[in-house]
Amino acid sequence: MKAEHCAQIEQAVAAVAQKAKTGIHHFYFVACGGSNAFMMPVQYMFDREIGIPASIYTSNEFNYGTPKDFDEHSVVITCSHSGTTPETVAAAKKATEVGAVSIAFSNEVDSPLWKAAGYPIHYDHGPSAATTDKNKAVLYALAFGILKAVAPEQSTKWESGLKALDALEEATNRTMKKFKDSAVRWGKENKRDTVIYTMGSGANYGEMYSLSICLFMEMQWIHSSCIHSGEYFHGPFEITDYDVPFIITISNGATRHLDERACAFCKKFSDNVYVIDEADFDMTGIDESVREYYAPLVAGSVVREMVDSIAHERGHDLSVRRYMWQMEY
Amino acid sequence: MKAEHCAQIEQAVAAVAQKAKTGIHHFYFVACGGSNAFMMPVQYMFDREIGIPASIYTSNEFNYGTPKDFDEHSVVITCSHSGTTPETVAAAKKATEVGAVSIAFSNEVDSPLWKAAGYPIHYDHGPSAATTDKNKAVLYALAFGILKAVAPEQSTKWESGLKALDALEEATNRTMKKFKDSAVRWGKENKRDTVIYTMGSGANYGEMYSLSICLFMEMQWIHSSCIHSGEYFHGPFEITDYDVPFIITISNGATRHLDERACAFCKKFSDNVYVIDEADFDMTGIDESVREYYAPLVAGSVVREMVDSIAHERGHDLSVRRYMWQMEY
């Protein structure tokens, strides 16, 4: 990881450690759409590993329906790729003003979000960027850094978590060899579908949520909904039919049972279920204790291959928008 | 409200008040599907009114991905209509065993959930039940009772909140006069739709979530997704088109701005938007300070009229299921 990113993360972690001395009451993850989904696995990780509440909000729900527990004892972590999402900038500013630790991720140094937050952290983006400097790696470095700072006695995972960053790229490459052909084929076979469901739980929910709202709805104009595996049997499963497509992640961690159960049923009644079973991932080099948190990052690459394929098959480039960036809203 | 219900609520509130003496660290709302959606407005209310974290989980996410903050300083509120949902029974049992205050709502006295919880509360159901003894009223009586018990200094709303229960039925009846014709017409005009989106925020999100997963997906086998108004512009809005149907609640409370903004855009590009604007509700008898929390209960009646109408038009009775209760899963 670049020295610049390391230094920014260290400053943020130091601020969290300092705040811990007078008490951290709540971690708030606040962002919109893909940036919100991006932070979901870390909200899940904090919820599981740290005995301090961790909640996630879409930015304007946080700004307008502000939780009463939010105050100077909070740590607020925001993200906006461009650093210009107005409601996320407002949330970071609100956090700074109240005296909370206000940490922000962005691809743009000196963007409005960058200036609004007390502890901005940059990440690289694009085909030439190293995996260890991209958004997810930088986010995880912060997350495991905070874990070490606030709850070293509660978890021995931070060391493994930080170490895993270096193994992520190779784990992804090895896993992609297994999934690539079927992922490409999936795009071809599903190009005429008008509705695609995604499903997951625990650390994977965010990846399935972003697949649904960003990749299908936003970038392909395909109807979609993300179902939590734990909710599937309590309503959504009645929509299952032989020709209804599902993409399901099966966690390699705590919530695996939920995913397995939903997937087994779904496969009985739908002939179109693409399963991303994280037990099939080659996670060598990543310690068993943190594989659950790293698996969604690898799953993200499988998902991206599927979406690249369907976009190509449909002649609908992923960069096309009809409203976003085209007009005021 | 029946004496039996009042007594059960009083016992639960007393247990919460007792727990508050040694410190309540977290309120957990835990249930599945419709029962989960049912508690969402109260989770929102607690988040807004009480300076203690309030989180909501689908039951098996809570059971398998158990948050680290969950312990004997927790209050866990569960719900299952039949009292037999295995994962919700397990959650209530887990709460009881750890020494948390374990409160459960059910229509079935002596059901497994009833026995698993320390403080079971019954509600009435069906056409002959009084509004003040049905699930939502009984839940709100508990919620405002807890508000009084744990945060009287933080909120003067509990008195208005409890009083509003008596005004709810008439507010609903008056509001339904305004909405009934258009709700019935909506069913007729949308009977051929294969995908219907719902949208809302704040106190209304749960109502829109249950409309999507229970009423459309489960009871009508219509594809659906519930979009948070704050997320609409960050992905989902690209799916908007002239013939894509949306049902949008516009809050009369804190998050109104989110809903108004999403609705205004949506109406520009879809010719099929049904708007439930809570500013149009006749909430006489319900104090201004708690109208935000009561509005979703009234909106629920509008929604039910729409769904009764579409079910009738499609000849697909709301009681029909192909999987639920038909087989083991």
Side-chain angles (χ1 to χ4, degrees):
Chain A
M1 190 175 292
K2 287 179 181 171
E4 165 208 356
H5 296 158
C6 289
Q8 290 160 355
I9 290 166
E10 267 174 35
Q11 283 197 318
V13 170
V16 172
Q18 182 63 29
K19 180 65 77 180
K21 290 181 186 166
T22 52
I24 295 168
H25 297 176
H26 216 127
F27 288 98
Y28 292 101
F29 295 88
V30 184
C32 297
S35 294
N36 185 298
F38 158 69
M39 299 202 290
M40 284 181 184
V42 173
Q43 183 271 331
Y44 171 80
M45 184 180 108
F46 276 30
D47 207 33
R48 298 273 298 142
E49 304 288 348
I50 304 175
I52 299 170
S55 307
I56 194 155
Y57 289 82
T58 186
S59 303
N60 258 349
E61 178 95 12
F62 181 81
N63 295 332
Y64 287 86
T66 311
K68 189 124 184 168
D69 201 33
F70 163 71
D71 61 17
E72 72 275 16
H73 290 287
S74 304
V75 174
V76 178
I77 305 174
T78 51
C79 177
S80 163
H81 186 71
S82 66
T84 58
T85 311
E87 50 265 60
T88 306
V89 175
K93 209 174 159 191
K94 200 179 174 85
T96 302
E97 284 171 358
V98 87
V101 179
S102 180
I103 302 169
F105 289 94
S106 181
N107 184 235
E108 293 296 335
V109 172
D110 290 336
S111 59
L113 181 63
W114 192 272
K115 289 172 183 164
Y119 301 92
I121 300 170
H122 178 261
Y123 58 77
D124 291 350
H125 179 68
S128 65
T131 301
T132 49
D133 282 300
K134 283 190 184 170
N135 60 350
K136 291 176 180 178
V138 174
L139 171 68
Y140 272 47
L142 175 80
F144 283 105
I146 290 177
L147 196 60
K148 179 184 177 180
V150 304
E153 79 295 350
Q154 283 176 328
S155 177
T156 54
K157 294 182 184 177
W158 67 267
E159 201 175 348
S160 304
L162 287 173
K163 219 173 130 192
L165 284 172
D166 296 322
L168 180 58
E169 187 165 353
E170 281 184 33
T172 303
N173 292 342
R174 285 192 306 269
T175 299
M176 283 314 296
K177 277 187 196 154
K178 290 191 190 180
F179 280 86
K180 184 163 178 157
D181 290 351
S182 67
V184 170
R185 200 165 56 243
W186 180 89
K188 204 177 170 77
E189 291 171 356
N190 289 275
K191 65 181 167 190
R192 312 245 189 265
D193 281 315
T194 55
V195 182
I196 302 172
Y197 286 100
T198 70
M199 187 146 66
S201 68
N204 292 309
Y205 185 80
E207 197 57 56
M208 290 298 98
Y209 177 71
S210 91
L211 173 58
S212 179
I213 71 153
C214 297
L215 297 169
F216 290 142
M217 294 172 83
E218 175 185 332
M219 301 185 192
Q220 286 297 296
W221 309 347
I222 294 174
H223 295 299
S224 184
S225 178
C226 178
I227 300 167
H228 192 290
S229 311
E231 288 286 273
Y232 179 61
F233 293 103
H234 305 282
F237 78 147
E238 283 283 332
I239 204 72
T240 312
D241 210 338
Y242 73 94
D243 59 350
V244 177
F246 284 82
I247 299 168
I248 307 178
T249 41
I250 301 186
S251 173
N252 59 359
T255 63
R256 183 172 180 84
H257 166 71
L258 284 66
D259 303 327
E260 281 185 322
R261 185 177 164 227
C263 185
F265 185 94
C266 194
K267 282 170 81 174
K268 256 194 228 173
F269 295 98
S270 167
D271 298 332
N272 192 349
V273 183
Y274 188 90
V275 181
I276 304 174
D277 188 342
E278 294 173 350
D280 296 334
F281 288 7
D282 183 345
M283 303 286 275
T284 313
I286 297 175
D287 191 73
E288 195 70 52
S289 67
V290 296
R291 285 191 182 174
E292 174 177 12
Y293 305 123
Y294 275 91
L297 277 51
V298 179
S301 294
V302 178
V303 156
R304 188 63 192 213
E305 193 76 44
M306 297 170 77
V307 173
D308 280 344
S309 171
I310 203 170
H312 173 73
E313 293 289 338
R314 299 173 82 237
H316 183 122
D317 195 88
L318 292 171
S319 66
V320 174
R321 301 289 186 282
R322 45 184 161 184
Y323 311 125
M324 195 176 271
W325 317 314
Q326 311 296 317
M327 57 187 75
E328 291 280 321
Y329 46 83
Chain B
M1 191 175 290
K2 286 179 182 170
E4 166 208 356
H5 296 158
C6 288
Q8 290 159 356
I9 290 167
E10 268 173 36
Q11 284 197 320
V13 169
V16 172
Q18 182 62 29
K19 181 66 78 180
K21 289 180 187 168
T22 53
I24 295 168
H25 296 177
H26 215 129
F27 288 97
Y28 292 102
F29 295 88
V30 184
C32 296
S35 294
N36 185 298
F38 158 69
M39 299 202 290
M40 284 182 184
V42 173
Q43 183 272 331
Y44 171 79
M45 184 180 107
F46 277 29
D47 207 33
R48 299 274 296 142
E49 304 288 348
I50 305 176
I52 299 170
S55 307
I56 194 156
Y57 289 82
T58 186
S59 304
N60 259 348
E61 178 95 13
F62 181 82
N63 295 333
Y64 286 86
T66 311
K68 190 126 185 167
D69 201 33
F70 164 70
D71 60 16
E72 74 276 16
H73 290 287
S74 303
V75 173
V76 178
I77 304 174
T78 52
C79 177
S80 163
H81 185 71
S82 66
T84 59
T85 310
E87 50 265 60
T88 306
V89 175
K93 208 173 160 192
K94 200 179 175 85
T96 302
E97 283 171 0
V98 87
V101 178
S102 181
I103 302 169
F105 288 94
S106 181
N107 184 235
E108 294 295 336
V109 171
D110 291 336
S111 60
L113 181 63
W114 192 272
K115 289 172 183 164
Y119 302 92
I121 300 170
H122 178 262
Y123 58 77
D124 292 350
H125 179 67
S128 65
T131 301
T132 49
D133 282 301
K134 282 190 185 169
N135 60 350
K136 291 178 180 177
V138 173
L139 171 68
Y140 272 46
L142 175 80
F144 283 105
I146 290 178
L147 197 59
K148 179 184 178 180
V150 305
E153 79 295 350
Q154 283 176 328
S155 177
T156 54
K157 294 182 183 177
W158 66 268
E159 200 176 348
S160 304
L162 288 173
K163 219 174 129 193
L165 283 172
D166 296 320
L168 180 58
E169 188 165 354
E170 281 184 31
T172 304
N173 292 343
R174 284 191 307 268
T175 300
M176 283 314 296
K177 277 188 194 152
K178 290 190 190 180
F179 281 85
K180 182 160 181 162
D181 290 351
S182 68
V184 170
R185 199 165 58 243
W186 180 90
K188 203 177 170 77
E189 290 171 357
N190 289 276
K191 65 182 168 188
R192 311 246 189 265
D193 281 315
T194 55
V195 182
I196 302 172
Y197 286 100
T198 70
M199 187 147 65
S201 68
N204 292 309
Y205 186 80
E207 197 57 57
M208 290 297 97
Y209 177 70
S210 89
L211 173 58
S212 179
I213 71 153
C214 298
L215 297 169
F216 290 141
M217 295 172 82
E218 175 185 331
M219 301 186 193
Q220 287 295 296
W221 308 348
I222 293 174
H223 295 299
S224 184
S225 177
C226 177
I227 301 166
H228 192 290
S229 311
E231 289 285 272
Y232 179 61
F233 293 104
H234 304 282
F237 79 149
E238 283 283 332
I239 204 71
T240 312
D241 211 338
Y242 72 94
D243 59 350
V244 177
F246 284 82
I247 298 169
I248 306 177
T249 41
I250 301 186
S251 172
N252 60 358
T255 63
R256 182 172 181 84
H257 167 71
L258 285 65
D259 303 325
E260 281 185 321
R261 186 178 163 225
C263 185
F265 185 93
C266 194
K267 281 170 81 174
K268 256 194 228 172
F269 296 98
S270 167
D271 299 332
N272 192 348
V273 183
Y274 189 89
V275 182
I276 304 175
D277 187 343
E278 295 174 350
D280 296 335
F281 288 7
D282 183 346
M283 303 286 274
T284 313
I286 297 175
D287 192 72
E288 195 69 52
S289 67
V290 295
R291 285 191 181 173
E292 173 176 11
Y293 305 124
Y294 275 92
L297 277 53
V298 178
S301 294
V302 178
V303 155
R304 188 63 193 214
E305 193 76 45
M306 296 169 76
V307 173
D308 280 344
S309 171
I310 203 170
H312 173 73
E313 293 288 339
R314 299 174 82 236
H316 184 122
D317 195 88
L318 292 172
S319 65
V320 174
R321 301 288 186 281
R322 44 185 161 184
Y323 310 125
M324 194 177 273
W325 317 315
Q326 313 295 320
M327 56 187 74
E328 290 280 323
Y329 47 84

